[in-house]
Amino acid sequence: MSYVFPSPKLNSSFKAPIICLMIAIFGFALDHLFLNDRNHDIDLRPAQVKILKFEDRDDGGVTVIDATTNQIIDVVQGEAGFVRGILRTIARERRIRGIGKDAPIRLISYTDGRLVLQDTATNTNIELGSFGSNNVQNFRVFLNNNNS
């Protein structure tokens, strides 16, 4: 008498997750070993840091103040679309979290050219370069101005 062992077959409901897992592991390994080199090249040292406060003006403009010296470094006139839009985003996040609007904001320029607006009150970083070079220039002016 001979006994026939059934051939092991995986149900199709087990094959799909196993294939997906294998593809994910392969993709992670590929990215980690070969494609992630660009992250190693990013220089995380700030070239310049300025701590700023922004105050609304009666005429609709915004006064930009160096928080360390308490000197006015610029006045943004009118609506100033991009600057005002970024400040509204920060103010909204602070309002949602119940944080006052008076906490200063860091403007950080890195040695690789990136410009980041960092709100330490909400732990929010805004990469200004993602909005285009013209908009970055609106904030880069604050780094270069020492006194208005």
Side-chain angles (χ1 to χ4, degrees), residues 29 71 109:
Q71 291 182 336
S109 173

Side-chain angles (χ1 to χ4, degrees), residues 54-70:
F54 297 92
E55 293 180 358
D56 291 328
R57 297 171 51 99
D58 293 335
D59 63 359
V62 177
T63 303
V64 183
I65 301 168
D66 185 336
T68 56
T69 63
N70 221 20

Side-chain angles (χ1 to χ4, degrees), residues 14-27:
F14 289 115
K15 287 181 185 178
I18 290 173
I19 291 171
C20 288
L21 182 63
M22 290 172 56
I23 291 172
I25 290 171
F26 176 73

Side-chain angles (χ1 to χ4, degrees), residues 21-119:
L21 182 63
M22 290 172 56
I23 291 172
I25 290 171
F26 176 73
F28 174 77
L30 182 68
D31 180 60
H32 193 68
L33 294 175
F34 300 108
L35 302 176
N36 209 10
D37 289 341
R38 68 178 185 270
N39 290 338
H40 297 294
D41 295 338
I42 294 175
D43 192 355
L44 298 177
R45 292 176 298 165
Q48 190 176 4
V49 177
K50 199 161 247 191
I51 302 172
L52 303 173
K53 291 191 301 186
F54 297 92
E55 293 180 358
D56 291 328
R57 297 171 51 99
D58 293 335
D59 63 359
V62 177
T63 303
V64 183
I65 301 168
D66 185 336
T68 56
T69 63
N70 221 20
Q71 291 182 336
I72 296 173
I73 57 172
D74 202 355
V75 175
V76 179
Q77 298 294 331
E79 279 300 305
F82 179 68
V83 174
R84 178 137 337 250
I86 293 293
L87 295 177
R88 280 188 195 119
T89 301
I90 291 172
R92 182 179 148 272
E93 286 299 315
R94 287 180 175 184
R95 192 172 47 252
I96 288 170
R97 295 178 177 150
I99 300 170
K101 63 179 183 175
D102 296 330
I105 299 169
R106 287 187 188 140
L107 181 61
I108 305 169
S109 173
Y110 289 93
T111 55
D112 62 359
R114 290 179 302 126
L115 195 63
V116 175
L117 199 62
Q118 183 181 66
D119 183 12

